[in-house]
Amino acid sequence: MLEELSVRNFALVDSLTLGFENGFSVLTGETGAGKSIIVGSISFLLGAKADAEVIRSGCDEAAVSAVVTVAPQNRDALGWLASRDIAADDGSVIVRRAVKSSGRSSIYIQNVPVTRGDLAEFMALLFDLHGQHTHETLLHKETHRKYLDRFAGLEDEALAFNKVFMELSDKRKALESSLSSERDRDARLEILNYGVDEVTKANPKPGEIKELETEAQRLGDFEKLSLQVNSAAEAFFDGEASLLSLARHTRTGMDNAASIDASLQPLLKRMEDLFYEAEDLAGEFRSYRDSLSYDPQRLEEVEDRLALLHKLKKKYVPSGARENAGAEESLLTWKTEAEAEIEALTGAEENRDKLRGEISALEKSIASRASALSAKRIEGAKKLGRGISSILSRLGMPNAKFEASVTAKMSERASLLCGPWGADDVEFLISANAGEPLKELARIASGGELSRVMLAIKTVLAGEAKGEAASDANAETLIFDEIDTGIGGEVALSVGEYLAQIGKGKQIFCVTHLASIAVRADNHLKVEKRVIAGEGGGRTVTGVSLLKPGERRQEIARMLAGEGGAAALAHADELLAKYGRS
């Protein structure tokens, strides 16, 4: 239940802290006083979408926090907290949500930061909010199946069915894709096999292209290379005045000079090093010159090999890799990938047979699951219909008959048709008056009737349908925003009586304009605007106060007649005496 609510800088609310009791509480006030703001702040705390527009003008941040109590029997909520290592303090949990003018928000449950999705998931286990326009969703047939599954405790089973259905759908698509591409398989295999054979025969080696290009250049320019090498050899070691001869002669002279002047020994050492290095270099250069030979046949082989590798590279290597040094590796990678594709295509029929088997097994599972779901929905629909009809009789519709119709989906060929959530069409039907046939909810003309149907559905889902409670009856607090739309007179008295009755087991909040509902409340809160003096004419703020008996009398009179005259006060006294809670 909601123990305490604190609102700061939210819309017209400056700062507000309210404590709440169990039972049935009403919020009343003049039209435009800000009742919707209070409901909006609670909705904000329940995880509704919100942006910086909710921040009070001139402020940087709006914040709403609450102290909520989790009942010991609410195992889902306690399990949710335990799974996230969040501990309740003697059953109490502090929930905070804030949004800044920048649009950034923060959400905490017991000082543990959570996402908006987490907040909505947790608070849904404690609160059920019925807003002014919630009943519009009741007109959409696709929501009826969700309501029935929730009442019958079939939500998890329906989700499991949906998972299997989606798996079946994916496998059917995979099989269809495989079959549609079968005609292209042979052509693709022929191309891949030919390419793999080409690359295998060529047997490229990493770095081979660069090596071949270097050898081709050497063989192609052999005459020029030979001329330059012979010229260098003559200058280095072949000629009478070659560099090596001069170095040998200089070394001998330095040796003689150092024997006369010992200070030349370091220079002699360096000269000897230079001579030995030149002699070693000359030996290697001589070997290179002697190895030079022109082989026109080798040149032709190199050019042919290069042409083959360039052709394969252009044919099979992606354009972005053709200029890279690792083009041969890319060619080998293509071969590996092509071989894998060949294997996959060769085993396509085997894979199709496997898919067919899996599809057949899933179809049997779907049929079995759909049949089980249908049986449970039909049984749940009977209980839901009885529960809602019973509640409607207490809400001024004694002759109303409500039915949750569950019929099999049928194809154009009159065969059973499964959808993502089963093989059932679920639709809520109602006969509001004796002798009238059952009709779709969308054809109900009275907004008051529709509001009462939604009230009945909300309370039966919360576990208040004469013992035929939903298995997920966790919501400890029910909030109804103007559930009295389109009703009055005796019907309003019935609605007030019913809300007071379910308030014995649940915490109920109801925003209402009707005195006949307000007098039934255990707690009466009044929402009103006031202007705080200040520059520019002051500022408007919304406030909420818990009414004392005398104040409540005045508010009931205002709701009856718009003012607190003697007649209105007398009528208020009469209603409070007859229907008020002691």
Side-chain angles (χ1 to χ4, degrees):
M1 69 173 268
L2 179 61
E3 288 188 10
E4 184 177 281
L5 177 71
S6 296
V7 184
R8 182 168 55 85
N9 299 327
F10 190 94
L12 292 178
V13 176
D14 181 13
S15 180
L16 177 67
T17 299
L18 295 170
F20 298 104
E21 300 293 335
N22 215 334
F24 175 33
S25 300
V26 294
L27 284 84
T28 66
E30 297 277 4
T31 299
K35 298 185 294 298
S36 62
I37 295 174
I38 303 303
V39 175
S41 67
I42 295 175
S43 179
F44 175 73
L45 199 60
L46 299 186
K49 290 183 179 180
D51 52 31
E53 291 183 2
V54 303
I55 302 174
R56 179 174 170 81
S57 177
C59 300
D60 296 325
E61 180 185 73
V64 181
S65 63
V67 178
V68 297
T69 301
V70 183
Q73 63 268 26
N74 194 338
R75 289 174 295 180
D76 288 347
L78 293 173
W80 191 96
L81 293 170
S83 68
R84 291 160 177 79
D85 293 325
I86 301 175
D89 185 9
D90 291 330
S92 293
V93 176
I94 298 175
V95 181
R96 293 178 290 148
R97 184 181 181 189
V99 60
K100 296 183 180 295
S101 55
S102 63
R104 297 186 61 183
S105 62
S106 58
I107 305 172
Y108 293 89
I109 298 177
Q110 292 289 72
N111 293 320
V112 176
V114 298
T115 66
R116 187 172 71 87
D118 287 336
L119 176 69
E121 184 179 336
F122 173 65
M123 297 299 268
L125 299 173
L126 303 171
F127 294 86
D128 190 356
L129 172 62
H130 170 60
Q132 296 183 42
H133 305 293
T134 309
H135 67 273
E136 293 176 6
T137 63
L138 195 58
L139 299 178
H140 302 302
K141 182 180 172 182
E142 58 267 21
T143 65
H144 298 176
R145 192 270 312 163
K146 296 179 182 178
Y147 281 126
L148 175 57
D149 283 352
R150 179 181 169 193
F151 171 79
L154 297 174
E155 288 178 307
D156 290 343
E157 192 169 338
L159 283 171
F161 178 93
N162 179 260
K163 183 178 180 180
V164 176
F165 182 89
M166 298 310 295
E167 183 181 359
L168 174 60
S169 178
D170 289 342
K171 289 189 181 297
R172 280 174 172 169
K173 288 177 183 177
L175 179 60
E176 182 180 350
S177 175
S178 176
L179 290 171
S180 65
S181 63
E182 186 176 9
R183 56 182 173 272
D184 302 323
R185 186 176 70 95
D186 291 342
R188 178 63 176 165
L189 274 172
E190 184 177 351
I191 292 172
L192 290 172
N193 281 317
Y194 182 82
V196 169
D197 186 57
E198 271 196 306
V199 175
T200 301
K201 288 179 178 177
N203 193 24
K205 304 292 190 300
E208 183 180 2
I209 291 177
K210 187 175 182 181
E211 292 176 3
L212 289 172
E213 286 175 341
T214 301
E215 185 177 1
Q217 183 178 6
R218 184 175 68 249
L219 291 170
D221 290 335
F222 180 82
E223 185 176 348
K224 182 178 179 182
L225 175 64
S226 180
L227 180 64
Q228 294 298 329
V229 167
N230 286 325
S231 175
E234 184 176 358
F236 193 8
F237 53 80
D238 272 356
E240 293 182 1
S242 67
L243 178 62
L244 191 58
S245 296
L246 290 174
R248 184 179 293 110
H249 179 72
T250 303
R251 173 175 169 270
T252 301
M254 285 293 295
D255 187 33
N256 293 332
S259 64
I260 299 172
D261 184 357
S263 67
L264 291 175
Q265 284 295 334
L267 291 178
L268 174 63
K269 178 65 173 59
R270 291 172 62 187
M271 188 63 204
E272 287 178 338
D273 290 343
L274 179 62
F275 171 74
Y276 292 134
E277 177 64 20
E279 192 173 45
D280 185 61
L281 182 61
E284 291 188 17
F285 195 67
R286 185 179 291 109
S287 296
Y288 174 80
R289 183 193 63 179
D290 294 344
S291 69
L292 280 177
S293 63
Y294 178 65
D295 186 349
Q297 184 177 353
R298 175 56 184 167
L299 177 60
E300 184 178 354
E301 290 174 356
V302 169
E303 290 176 340
D304 288 346
R305 177 67 175 173
L306 275 173
L308 173 63
L309 292 177
H310 281 302
K311 182 187 77 169
L312 294 177
K313 183 173 70 170
K314 184 177 181 180
K315 192 173 183 180
Y316 299 115
V317 177
S319 58
R322 289 176 188 166
E323 303 305 321
N324 297 339
E328 299 91 334
E329 288 89 336
S330 297
L331 195 59
L332 293 170
T333 298
W334 176 87
K335 177 191 170 187
T336 301
E337 292 173 349
E339 288 172 336
E341 187 177 351
I342 289 170
E343 183 179 356
L345 289 172
T346 303
E349 186 57 43
E350 181 180 344
N351 291 335
R352 279 195 290 273
D353 288 341
K354 182 181 178 182
L355 273 175
R356 290 188 184 100
E358 292 172 345
I359 288 171
S360 178
L362 287 171
E363 286 174 341
K364 291 178 182 177
S365 176
I366 283 287
S368 175
R369 289 170 181 266
S371 178
L373 263 178
S374 294
K376 293 174 184 177
R377 280 173 177 158
I378 290 171
E379 187 62 30
K382 293 176 183 177
K383 293 181 179 180
L384 180 63
R386 288 196 298 266
I388 291 178
S389 295
S390 175
I391 293 174
L392 290 176
S393 70
R394 287 179 273 165
L395 295 177
M397 298 176 69
N399 298 312
K401 182 181 179 182
F402 182 92
E403 180 180 301
S405 171
V406 181
T407 57
K409 292 177 181 286
M410 303 301 290
S411 68
E412 294 179 355
R413 298 179 180 180
S415 59
L416 190 65
L417 182 66
C418 278
W421 300 98
D424 307 306
D425 271 324
V426 179
E427 184 172 15
F428 291 167
L429 307 173
I430 190 170
S431 169
N433 301 292
E436 290 186 1
L438 290 164
K439 299 177 183 177
E440 300 90 340
L441 283 179
R443 295 175 62 186
I444 293 178
S446 168
E449 289 174 340
L450 196 58
S451 292
R452 281 175 281 173
V453 171
M454 178 56 83
L455 173 58
I457 290 174
K458 285 288 183 178
T459 53
V460 80
L461 290 177
E464 296 297 333
K466 279 195 169 182
E468 294 181 349
S471 62
D472 62 343
N474 288 325
E476 301 170 27
T477 301
L478 305 180
I479 304 166
F480 298 102
D481 184 11
E482 300 193 13
I483 194 66
D484 53 19
T485 300
I487 64 173
E490 291 297 322
V491 173
L493 288 171
S494 298
V495 170
E497 181 183 7
Y498 183 71
L499 289 172
Q501 180 182 342
I502 62 174
K504 295 176 181 179
K506 300 279 185 181
Q507 185 183 42
I508 305 295
F509 289 95
C510 179
V511 177
T512 183
H513 292 286
L514 297 179
S516 51
I517 291 178
V519 293
R520 299 274 191 178
D522 299 303
N523 312 292
H524 192 147
L525 299 131
K526 183 178 180 180
V527 182
E528 56 187 338
K529 286 181 182 177
R530 64 179 186 275
V531 177
I532 299 176
E535 296 182 4
R539 298 196 68 184
T540 301
V541 297
T542 289
V544 181
S545 57
L546 178 64
L547 298 183
K548 298 177 181 179
E551 297 169 329
R552 189 181 185 198
R553 176 175 178 255
Q554 290 287 339
E555 176 64 5
I556 295 296
R558 181 200 64 77
M559 296 175 73
L560 287 167
E563 48 86 28
L569 287 171
H571 193 182
D573 289 337
E574 181 183 352
L575 287 175
L576 286 168
K578 187 173 182 180
Y579 302 113
R581 310 299 292 272
S582 58

